[in-house]
Amino acid sequence: MTRQKLPDLRARVSTAVVHVRWLAIDDVAEPLWDQLSQLLDDAECARAGRFHFERDKQAYIAAHALARVLLSGQVSRPPNSWRFATNPHGKPVVVPEAGLPQLRFNLSHTRGLVAVALTLENEVGIDVEAVDPKRLSFDLAARTFAPAEVAILRKTPPADLPEALFGFWTLKEAFIKAVGQGLSVPLQAFALTLDPLAIHFSDPIVEDPSRWLLRSYKPTSSHLLALALRHSDPARVFVEMARVTVPDLLALADQLA
């Protein structure tokens, strides 16, 4: 089940509760970017400075600031105090510390939108994309998606095709990010359906479909967001999705500093 409401940025997650928070960044006032940057560590600030396009830099800053504040809301510590590592395939993880809960998070950013998924113990992945037919065509999907997905797309009316293409793409990305194996997972090794949302594996020994929770959302008229969670009992998982504003994010960061 899923509910959308005004977010409590300090509400607790659990093994059966996932928070999905998204932030629209196109209208963020210029002075606020310096404040968001101060929530990052030195390595993140350095990486942000290497982006060629300002919009990409801002998306990176916003996504990482959102992740840090949401994590801090769980344990009441300064956002810039978190230390992250990456697994061998590049998935960011919280560096374990004595007394810290086993928080699991994932972040994603695209043109105009960033999002973070946060939960406890279970592996989670999230992806956001701006729906742009120039970036993903049927021909590309036909070469890279699973045959069952391509068959569905062939039957999709042209007017609905862009959203269907990105519906598959965001879900596939969210799953790959959840398992944390990057591009070593072939896109054709698993097939999704959009209605109903479900996942199937070419080798069922590798993954059990019944252990996966999938969600697909449309946070704005031009964006899609997908969530994937590995869980022993997906039916009992509660997903709370909500929009966050930069002023609310900075207000909580000030409280936690």
Side-chain angles (χ1 to χ4, degrees):
M1 54 182 173
T2 305
R3 181 186 302 168
Q4 293 198 44
K5 64 177 184 178
L6 293 176
D8 176 0
L9 297 181
R10 303 190 76 161
R12 293 292 186 262
V13 296
S14 72
T15 56
V17 175
V18 183
H19 287 173
V20 176
R21 302 290 186 252
W22 60 274
L23 176 66
I25 62 174
D26 284 343
D27 298 323
V28 176
E30 189 61 34
L32 297 183
W33 287 110
D34 284 341
Q35 296 181 54
L36 288 172
S37 296
Q38 292 172 20
L39 303 179
L40 278 53
D41 65 15
D42 292 342
E44 289 169 325
C45 288
R47 182 174 178 184
R50 292 194 290 270
F51 282 96
H52 181 72
F53 295 106
E54 187 68 15
R55 68 185 183 191
D56 296 330
K57 173 183 176 180
Q58 292 177 342
Y60 177 89
I61 291 171
H64 285 254
L66 177 59
R68 285 178 170 274
V69 173
L70 293 180
L71 287 165
S72 290
Q74 297 294 307
V75 295
S76 298
R77 62 185 288 177
N80 60 7
S81 68
W82 290 95
R83 294 183 301 132
F84 301 132
T86 56
N87 76 2
H89 298 281
K91 182 178 182 179
V93 295
V94 174
V95 173
E97 296 180 26
L100 274 184
Q102 297 182 46
L103 292 167
R104 300 287 186 267
F105 80 100
N106 199 231
L107 57 84
S108 182
H109 48 85
T110 188
R111 186 174 67 249
L113 193 81
V114 304
V116 172
L118 179 65
T119 190
L120 196 64
E121 297 184 11
N122 297 294
E123 296 302 330
V124 65
I126 193 170
D127 189 55
V128 292
E129 298 289 346
V131 179
D132 181 354
K134 296 178 182 178
R135 295 178 54 239
L136 181 59
S137 66
F138 174 80
D139 288 343
L140 176 59
R143 295 194 301 270
T144 56
F145 286 7
E149 295 166 335
V150 176
I152 293 172
L153 291 169
R154 289 188 188 279
K155 300 176 182 178
T156 301
D160 300 330
L161 187 58
E163 192 160 310
L165 284 165
F166 279 93
F168 280 119
W169 181 259
T170 53
L171 285 163
K172 292 175 90 68
E173 283 286 312
F175 170 77
I176 288 173
K177 293 173 73 176
V179 298
Q181 297 178 19
L183 295 178
S184 66
V185 180
L187 291 179
Q188 295 187 350
F190 61 100
L192 295 149
T193 56
L194 302 179
D195 187 16
L197 280 178
I199 191 166
H200 308 275
F201 300 99
S202 56
D203 183 356
I205 297 177
V206 175
E207 290 284 349
D208 180 356
S210 69
R211 294 175 65 88
W212 283 94
L213 171 77
L214 303 172
R215 291 287 185 271
S216 184
Y217 306 98
K218 194 172 183 179
T220 78
S221 60
S222 57
H223 293 91
L224 288 181
L225 181 156
L227 173 77
L229 177 78
R230 183 193 278 133
H231 197 278
S232 60
D233 188 5
R236 70 181 182 89
V237 174
F238 177 81
V239 180
E240 183 186 271
M241 177 176 169
R243 179 179 181 176
V244 176
T245 67
V246 170
D248 286 342
L249 201 66
L250 293 172
L252 178 56
D254 286 341
Q255 296 174 27
L256 297 167

